[in-house]
Amino acid sequence: MHYATDVTQLIGNTPLLYLRQLSERTGCRILGKAEFLNPGGSVKDRTALGIIRAAETSGELRPGGRIVEGTAGNTGIGLTLLANALGYKSSVVMPISQSKEKIDTLELLGADLHLVPAASYNEQGHYIHTSRRLAEKYANSEPGGAIWAGQFDNPANMAIHRDTTGEEIWTQTGGKVDGFICAVGTGGTLAGVSTALKAHNDRIVIGIADPLGASLYSYFSNGRVEPSTGSSIVEGIGINHITGNVAKAKVDTAFSISDEEALPYLFDLLQHEGLCLGGSTAINMAGAVRLAEQLGPDHTIVTILCDYGNRYQSKLFNPVFLQNKGLPVPSWLEI
């Protein structure tokens, strides 16, 4: 008999999916890594598992201990599920501006949830800094102690994507991959996958798809950390500082992607290919098209299908919200 003995064994080994419309549009083979199939519903399950295993190995995370993290939601969901399964406790600090669906999910899973006002990274009230202080408080007060996951700068984030996501892509494509592109939340996926793929073939082109208002397009294009003009409704990606993981990414090209450009790909994916996915996937798909146009036809490009769209239904699939933002509305939701 073959079966998983716990939830950790359900993380990773996600399939690649041929994205028909993008491929037909560009003349390339565009493939999406189906990370939404992880048990917590997102690519961040890998990050959560990598951080926990590294902390266990180092002895920093003790039996019955608490894991504290600042997150836009998905890493918190992954950490909470794994904490439940492995006998730990979890505390999640998240901006109150994130989707109602993610807030509801974390409460459902039993996380110790702390919602804070949205703030810039330079402010002490930013959710990352708040989570670090909370971890220090729990470390001094709880019998099992506490750790701060610190996903933005934690090398375990990059490492698990290097050792699993990147190697899976290489194996699943039979080494016939010409480009990889994704957006950045912490930089772990981009750094890990780029490192793994470049180790196999340095000619593989690595790209970043950066939403408007973020600074990594500028950083990788001209070396300056300057936010682009505009803004994005997409949650969990688009940062304005260089994390420890971003600094290790091996990037060849960068694209600045607007919501107006990206969202139609997402809506078409649902209407014509049967997948309802989130906003970061929209930015990734738009980036894959840009990279395909840069490389030309007959290339194989891989991107990340990050999480499910119902996690953002009150925003991404809310016609009133979209209209108020001046964004395209799916035809079946038009009012």
Side-chain angles (χ1 to χ4, degrees):
M1 290 188 290
H2 299 279
Y3 54 87
T5 57
D6 64 45
V7 71
T8 66
Q9 295 175 21
L10 303 179
I11 295 173
N13 293 309
T14 57
L16 287 177
L17 175 69
Y18 177 77
L19 298 175
R20 176 174 49 81
Q21 291 186 101
L22 301 190
S23 298
E24 291 175 354
R25 172 185 176 131
T26 61
C28 286
R29 182 186 294 105
I30 298 182
L31 308 173
K33 193 93 163 84
E35 291 299 291
F36 57 89
L37 295 177
N38 284 305
S42 88
V43 64
K44 292 296 188 176
D45 284 7
R46 295 189 194 247
T47 297
L49 180 61
I51 288 172
I52 287 175
R53 291 308 193 208
E56 289 174 334
T57 299
S58 70
E60 185 182 8
L61 181 59
R62 306 196 300 272
R66 183 176 294 273
I67 307 159
V68 183
E69 182 59 319
T71 168
N74 280 336
T75 304
I77 290 168
L79 284 171
T80 300
L81 285 174
L82 292 176
N84 291 349
L86 300 173
Y88 302 116
K89 302 170 186 175
S90 68
S91 292
V92 174
V93 180
M94 188 166 75
I96 200 169
S97 58
Q98 301 303 290
S99 72
K100 177 181 183 299
E101 292 84 358
K102 283 193 289 192
I103 293 171
D104 290 346
T105 298
L106 282 161
E107 290 177 339
L108 170 67
L109 299 180
D112 171 39
L113 181 60
H114 300 253
L115 297 175
V116 298
S120 73
Y121 183 75
N122 294 328
E123 298 178 72
Q124 282 302 303
H126 189 274
Y127 68 94
I128 295 176
H129 308 316
T130 303
S131 68
R132 185 185 66 250
R133 292 192 298 270
L134 185 65
E136 293 168 353
K137 171 188 169 185
Y138 280 133
N140 294 322
S141 63
E142 298 230 340
I147 67 161
W148 182 48
Q151 61 175 325
F152 289 81
D153 298 305
N154 193 327
N157 182 358
M158 170 196 167
I160 194 164
H161 285 291
R162 179 194 64 216
D163 297 341
T164 67
T165 321
E167 292 300 327
E168 288 168 28
I169 290 170
W170 178 258
T171 300
Q172 289 169 326
T173 59
K176 300 185 187 313
V177 53
D178 301 297
F180 173 81
I181 188 166
C182 70
V184 162
T186 65
T189 304
L190 185 65
V193 172
S194 65
T195 299
L197 293 181
K198 290 280 193 182
H200 286 289
N201 179 0
D202 192 54
R203 294 189 302 276
I204 296 172
V205 178
I206 305 297
I208 176 174
D210 211 29
L212 293 189
S215 297
L216 295 188
Y217 169 75
S218 172
Y219 174 71
F220 285 112
S221 297
N222 56 42
R224 295 192 296 271
V225 184
E226 297 175 346
S228 59
T229 302
S231 62
S232 173
I233 66 167
V234 178
E235 298 182 11
I237 59 172
I239 57 175
N240 290 303
H241 66 288
I242 306 306
T243 70
N245 284 292
V246 167
K248 297 174 183 174
K250 302 179 185 298
V251 175
D252 300 301
T253 189
F255 304 97
S256 183
I257 308 289
S258 71
D259 291 351
E260 290 86 351
E261 176 183 350
L263 289 179
Y265 293 123
L266 193 71
F267 302 150
D268 287 347
L269 185 70
L270 172 54
Q271 190 171 22
H272 301 295
E273 298 186 59
L275 281 176
C276 182
L277 302 180
S280 50
T281 295
I283 299 293
N284 286 350
M285 289 194 296
V289 169
R290 293 272 204 101
L291 182 57
E293 291 170 345
Q294 178 175 299
L295 295 180
D298 299 321
H299 290 91
T300 297
I301 294 166
V302 178
T303 191
I304 302 292
L305 307 179
C306 305
D307 63 359
Y308 286 107
N310 56 3
R311 203 159 273 185
Y312 312 93
Q313 185 172 350
S314 59
K315 293 183 178 180
L316 279 180
F317 297 94
N318 178 346
V320 174
F321 177 84
L322 292 170
Q323 283 187 345
N324 287 340
K325 295 288 186 180
L327 294 172
V329 176
S331 59
W332 65 92
L333 292 179
E334 288 178 352
I335 56 176

